[in-house]
Each structure stands twice: as structure tokens, then as C-alpha cells.
Amino acid sequence: MDPLDFLEPEELLRFFACNKTEISCLDKPQTLLSVLRDHNLIPEDRYKNVMCMKSKENIKQALYGVLDWLETERSQYMKLFWTCVFKESIMNVYPTLKILRNSLMDGTFQFYTALPEKVEKVETTNDKKRKQPSEDGEEEEEQTNTERKKKKNIIRRVCSEEEQAGSSAQLPRDDHEEQQADKEPGCSHGNSLVFKVTCGAEVGTLHKTRFASGTCGKSIRTETSWDTPEEFVKKSLPQPDASWRKDIQWEGKPLCELTQANVLSLHSLVCECRLCRPDCDDLESQKNDDECCVCRRAGVELVMCDDCPLSFHQMCHLPDVPHNILGDGRPWVCTFCVFRRNQEWQDSEELSPVPALSRRISASLMQCQYLLLFLYVADEEQIFTSDPRLYVEGYTNAVRTPMWLDKVAEKLQKKTYQTVRELVSDIQLIFTNCASFNRDNEEFHTKGARLKELFEREFKNVFSISEETDD
């Protein structure tokens, strides 16, 4: 008999509270977090935040924070929590959980042991003084704020830029970023900051969590590669006296303003972090994105393209990446790069829409896979990715034939489509349903119309359809 059936909710909660620290020390807790997310025990944002991390210490602290939140906000679901983590498949991954279950079975854990009351904060005399500063203290604070005015203005501009670019990639948060977040509360919003930078004619985005110095940390993402600041400058300006501090520009100002304001933290010369002292795997992984460009989730199982910075999960890429390719040392190239290579050497015979749509899928499979991947990447908020009936209230009653990108991809993989027209018809159905259901929702109506426009433009590009032949 399951021992959980004999325990009261209060006992399960106490057992949880006493073992949070031990659970937070689990090695590679991604499987545990996935189980908790699958049962709606933890929210998606907290799940993603931990999954993006690479530092073991950061993962441990973040996992404890998740468990602490679970104790406070989901205490009524303690039995569900223990039922999930005490599954045999989960305990086989984490022997610590098996030990915890055994302590329930053999009575090792004593529920009758009284615990002291939880104390949130001990208020001291000094605390009270800080709450009510003297007039002299206010004058000193005003002088300090005046001296730091330039720095604060920069930080506010950075925060505003990140809010506007809400779809930025979420990259792992390392020790240096956490220290900086402590220095400037409210400037990072819990995610990595991304800065739009230029150098000469080159344009890129600088990611704070990858930044270490001019020579360490491939922190600037361009369309074709990840570069260190010095590599980015050398690509842009061939002059020998070019300097990343003054020649890389952010909002028309030299990048050194961000380092002087401590928004970008320069690592010390003796720093031993994975950016400053990378091993072979760290150095290799810096060449690619830290998250899948389709589902936008990070993870250790990413497959990295050898020709571009993109990364994918095996099942997110089209076609699926077979297991026998992984770890064999051979280069792997994504569908985006395969398509571009083919475009370079193929004769671009212009077509009208009718012959293009009439093509057999088998003869245009690579082009169709490219178009679907293009839509996944363009759908930054993943609005059109999943079955809308699962999360949009009233959708079933309003839309007779739902369609979404995952379903189109599944039909393509299963060879359900015979012609390009059938695939395009399903994709157009996604946009038609969006326009019909969101007549009174301008925001989503506009997003659907934008993605439709992008798809139609890219379709013409893929099948070399000229404007003159377009009906």
C-alpha cells in the first residue's frame, strides 16, 4: 500500500519542508522539473528559468527557489507532488528520492518532531533607522544619486530596450549576471539583457550573459555567427587601431559606456568561469545558440548546425535528426543551410503559382520543410504552434476546422500531403482561422496577418515566383 494514503496533508507538507534542501541538491534535475511542469505543479516561466542555466550552483539555488514557491503557493498539492516524484522511473534517475520514500515506508522520518515557528525577519534598531532616515542621511543620499545619475540613465534605457524586445532569446544566467543584478535591482527583469549594437556596417545583438571581455565570451550574435567583441570589430573595421570599446556602438554611444556603468561586467584577468577559461566543449557550444530556435527552450540535448549559429532539438528540426548522426563527429547542417546551399547552385527558373502549387511534395520536400521551419522561427511567441483548442476558450465552437503548425509538421512527416498545394492550403487555414476568430482582437488579428504576409513572401522566394507571374 502506498504510504502516502496514510499521511495527512500537513504531514506531507512538513516532510516536503524538511527535505527541500536535499531535493535541490539533485544532480541534473531537468527530468524532475519536467515531471512537475507536466502536472502543472510549477509555472512555465520558472521551469524555463532553471532549464536555461548551466552552472550547477545556480541550478541548485534556482531549484530551491522553485521548491520554496511550491511550498508557499501549491501546498494543497503535496500528495500530487510526492506521487509524481515517487514514480519508479523518476526514483531510478534520482536515488535520493528513493531514500526519501524509504524513510516514509520504514518510519525513519518522525512526523511528531516539533519544529520551531518560521521567522521571516528579525527587526533590529538599525532596520528601523533605515526605514526613517534622518535629514542628513537624505542629503547624503541625494548627493550620491546625483553622482550616479549618468549610470542610472543608462540602466533605465537598457531596461526599456529589453521590455520592448520582449521576444529576446533566454540565455543561461551565470554568476556574473546574478552579482550584477544584485548591484542594480530591477534592470534585468530576471532574463538576460540583449543590446542592439553596430560597428561600421555590421549589425548584431550583444547578450549580457555571454559577455566576459573583449576577447572572451562570444557574446555578439550576427546573422551568421557568434563573435567576441574583438572578432566583431575585426569583421567590421580592418583598421589596426580599431577598438571594441569605442567602435562598437549602442544607441549611438560607444560600448564602453555600458562597462563604465557596470551594466556590462568585465571579468577579471584571473577569472576561471566557462567564458574566460572554456574547455573544448564550452568553446564549441559558444558558436551556436543556447536554445532551440523552434521551441525556444534550452537543454543539453541540442543539435548544433556546423554552418550557422542555429541550434535545434532532434524532434524540433525538420526532418527529425536521427540518433545515429549524434556523436559520430561528422558535421551536421540544418535545413536552413541546406536550402541556402541549393539556392546558390540551382538555376532559378521563375514559375507562376499554379505550377509551384502542383508540384509533388516528394520533389519539393526540402523546400516545404524549410518553409515550415521558417514559420516556426517567425512565430516568436509560439501563438500558432500548438492546438488552440487546448488553451483558447470557445475556440472549438467558433472554428470548425482547427489547424496549427505542429499538426502541419506531423502531416508532412507522415507523408500525408501529396502536393505542395495541400500543405499550403493547411497553412493558409491557420491564418484564415486566426482572422475569423480574432475579428474583435486587433492584437492577434495583426499578428496573424503579419505571419501570413511573411509566409507568402517567403513562398515566392522559395519557388522563384516573380511578381509579374503572380495572379
Side-chain angles (χ1 to χ4, degrees):
M1 182 67 70
D2 191 333
L4 300 180
D5 294 334
F6 297 96
L7 296 174
E8 296 295 327
E10 294 79 7
E11 293 176 316
L12 293 176
L13 182 60
R14 184 188 300 179
F15 186 64
F16 178 84
C18 291
N19 289 287
K20 281 189 304 183
T21 300
E22 195 164 1
I23 297 172
S24 70
C25 294
L26 293 177
D27 189 35
K28 297 180 180 178
Q30 287 81 359
T31 301
L32 174 66
L33 286 167
S34 296
V35 171
L36 299 182
R37 184 199 61 170
D38 292 345
H39 289 80
N40 294 333
L41 286 169
I42 60 174
E44 189 71 17
D45 60 340
R46 289 178 178 268
Y47 168 81
K48 288 182 177 180
N49 187 39
V50 183
M51 295 294 280
C52 286
M53 295 180 177
K54 293 185 178 179
S55 164
K56 289 184 178 180
E57 189 60 34
N58 290 345
I59 291 174
K60 185 192 302 183
Q61 294 176 9
L63 179 57
Y64 185 87
V66 170
L67 297 174
D68 204 38
W69 179 90
L70 187 59
E71 179 186 8
T72 305
E73 303 295 333
R74 293 284 193 272
S75 59
Q76 68 271 36
Y77 297 114
M78 278 298 116
K79 184 174 181 180
L80 175 60
F81 171 84
W82 289 116
T83 300
C84 291
V85 303
F86 284 162
K87 290 181 179 178
E88 195 66 33
S89 58
I90 304 301
M91 291 192 295
N92 288 339
V93 178
Y94 305 110
T96 298
L97 297 178
K98 187 171 288 188
I99 295 172
L100 291 180
R101 189 177 190 278
N102 290 341
S103 72
L104 285 179
M105 294 287 288
D106 59 21
T108 305
F109 183 83
Q110 301 296 323
F111 288 101
Y112 57 79
T113 303
L115 298 177
E117 287 188 14
K118 188 174 182 178
V119 179
E120 297 293 341
K121 181 180 178 181
V122 178
E123 190 176 86
T124 64
T125 305
N126 289 336
D127 291 331
K128 294 178 181 178
K129 287 181 179 179
R130 282 197 293 270
K131 291 177 183 176
Q132 298 178 350
S134 64
E135 291 182 3
D136 292 340
E138 289 177 351
E139 290 176 2
E140 291 175 3
E141 183 178 356
E142 184 178 349
Q143 291 174 358
T144 303
N145 287 337
T146 301
E147 293 171 357
R148 298 189 306 181
K149 184 176 180 181
K150 181 178 179 181
K151 175 178 174 180
K152 293 294 185 182
N153 285 338
I154 290 175
I155 293 170
R156 278 195 291 270
R157 292 205 307 274
V158 170
C159 296
S160 175
E161 180 177 305
E162 185 189 18
E163 289 171 351
Q164 293 171 5
S167 59
S168 306
Q170 294 181 355
L171 298 176
R173 182 178 169 89
D174 62 15
D175 294 335
H176 292 275
E177 183 184 6
E178 292 184 357
Q179 292 168 5
Q180 190 57 46
D182 292 337
K183 293 178 184 177
E184 299 297 340
C187 79
S188 74
H189 304 292
N191 295 324
S192 60
L193 291 173
V194 179
F195 310 90
K196 294 179 181 179
V197 295
T198 59
C199 185
E202 292 288 326
V203 178
T205 52
L206 188 150
H207 295 253
K208 179 178 178 180
T209 51
R210 282 184 171 227
F211 178 80
S213 66
T215 57
C216 297
K218 292 184 179 292
S219 55
I220 299 181
R221 170 69 147 86
T222 67
E223 188 176 346
T224 58
S225 64
W226 280 96
D227 302 315
T228 65
E230 286 198 358
E231 290 170 341
F232 184 62
V233 170
K234 287 179 181 178
K235 276 185 180 180
S236 314
L237 303 173
Q239 296 94 321
D241 61 341
S243 166
W244 67 268
R245 296 174 185 268
K246 64 179 179 64
D247 291 316
I248 297 179
Q249 302 281 306
W250 167 73
E251 290 193 348
K253 301 180 183 299
L255 200 62
C256 62
E257 284 207 7
L258 293 179
T259 58
Q260 290 168 357
N262 285 333
V263 174
L264 287 180
S265 178
L266 282 167
H267 295 202
S268 69
L269 294 176
V270 295
C271 178
E272 297 290 335
C273 78
R274 60 184 178 84
L275 295 175
C276 297
R277 298 289 186 273
D279 58 26
C280 293
D281 290 339
D282 287 334
L283 197 59
E284 192 65 25
S285 67
Q286 285 186 38
K287 297 177 182 178
N288 291 81
D289 299 337
D290 294 305
E291 63 176 19
C292 172
C293 70
V294 174
C295 70
R296 290 169 177 77
R297 291 180 182 173
V300 294
E301 299 300 328
L302 289 175
V303 185
M304 301 178 181
C305 179
D306 286 287
D307 271 15
C308 76
L310 295 177
S311 299
F312 301 83
H313 290 113
Q314 285 179 260
M315 304 299 289
C316 289
H317 186 264
L318 290 172
D320 293 346
V321 183
H323 290 285
N324 60 355
I325 289 181
L326 303 179
D328 63 3
R330 290 181 296 173
W332 177 80
V333 181
C334 72
T335 293
F336 285 113
C337 293
V338 172
F339 172 75
R340 293 188 187 104
R341 285 180 180 181
N342 286 353
Q343 269 197 325
E344 289 174 1
W345 62 263
Q346 281 184 343
D347 293 331
S348 56
E349 178 188 355
E350 291 187 348
L351 298 175
S352 65
V354 174
L357 292 168
S358 301
R359 281 188 173 186
R360 304 289 294 178
I361 283 286
S362 56
S364 305
L365 184 58
M366 183 263 294
Q367 289 91 334
C368 293
Q369 291 169 338
Y370 168 85
L371 280 170
L372 257 182
L373 283 176
F374 172 84
L375 285 174
Y376 272 115
V377 174
D379 182 20
E380 295 179 348
E381 299 177 56
Q382 299 183 290
I383 297 171
F384 306 98
T385 299
S386 306
D387 186 350
R389 295 173 297 183
L390 300 177
Y391 54 87
V392 179
E393 186 177 352
Y395 196 86
T396 305
N397 299 329
V399 178
R400 291 187 177 182
T401 312
M403 188 57 61
W404 55 97
L405 292 178
D406 282 348
K407 186 172 183 180
V408 177
E410 180 184 1
K411 292 174 72 173
L412 181 63
Q413 297 274 63
K414 291 182 177 180
K415 302 180 180 179
T416 304
Y417 300 119
Q418 300 301 312
T419 65
V420 174
R421 184 187 303 277
E422 294 173 17
L423 178 136
V424 171
S425 177
D426 273 354
I427 292 175
Q428 293 288 4
L429 182 58
I430 297 175
F431 306 135
T432 302
N433 290 344
C434 175
S436 174
F437 186 77
N438 293 291
R439 288 192 185 96
D440 300 325
N441 189 327
E442 184 179 354
E443 179 185 359
F444 285 94
H445 190 283
T446 302
K447 289 176 179 178
R450 174 187 168 277
L451 192 62
K452 180 177 186 291
E453 180 183 349
L454 289 174
F455 169 72
E456 291 175 346
R457 185 191 310 157
E458 197 64 19
F459 178 79
K460 293 175 183 178
N461 173 52
V462 168
F463 289 98
S464 301
I465 298 173
S466 67
E467 295 294 335
E468 289 75 12
T469 59
D470 188 13
D471 294 334

